[in-house]
Amino acid sequence: MTWLLDAVPPDYRAYEVLKRHPIALARMALHHVNAAVEAARAGYRSAAVDLKGHLPPHAVEAVLDVYREEGPRLVRLARAITVVEQALRGDMFTTTMRNFR
């Protein structure tokens, strides 16, 4: 539960319904993280143009590096939240060799 709360903005902790109903929290967390993935993709696509002339080239490249790290991290987080939500809903899982990569 705390892990899901860590995946959303801190203000979400104020809503009792999200604390009482982890499925609702997981659903909202997934929407939030998916939106962050899309925002990171858009930011990455436009950062070089948007920041050119405002930052030195090495700083622009550093910003792009942040997006290169954050994008995949957010995608992994979204996948993890999806699995948690499925488990909270009672979906059955079958272990396969692909789960061990």
Side-chain angles (χ1 to χ4, degrees):
M1 174 78 136
T2 301
W3 176 80
L4 282 172
L5 285 169
D6 289 343
V8 297
D11 293 346
Y12 282 35
R13 291 176 186 271
Y15 298 100
E16 287 300 318
V17 67
L18 299 180
K19 293 177 188 175
R20 279 195 305 268
H21 301 283
I23 293 174
L25 175 58
R27 179 92 311 238
M28 290 185 75
L30 186 58
H31 284 292
H32 175 76
V33 173
N34 281 335
V37 168
E38 291 307 313
R41 288 176 178 157
Y44 181 81
R45 285 190 303 269
S46 65
V49 172
D50 292 346
L51 299 174
K52 184 179 180 181
H54 299 285
L55 296 177
H58 71 276
V60 172
E61 190 58 35
V63 169
L64 292 173
D65 286 343
V66 171
Y67 280 121
R68 287 183 197 113
E69 286 186 37
E70 273 301 293
R73 183 192 70 80
L74 290 166
V75 168
R76 288 190 305 272
L77 179 58
R79 287 181 185 149
I81 292 170
T82 297
V83 170
V84 168
E85 182 183 14
Q86 290 171 341
L88 289 169
R89 291 175 182 271
D91 292 353
M92 300 300 282
F93 292 92
T94 303
T95 303
T96 64
M97 289 306 292
R98 133 181 109 178
N99 293 103
F100 294 103
R101 285 189 217 171

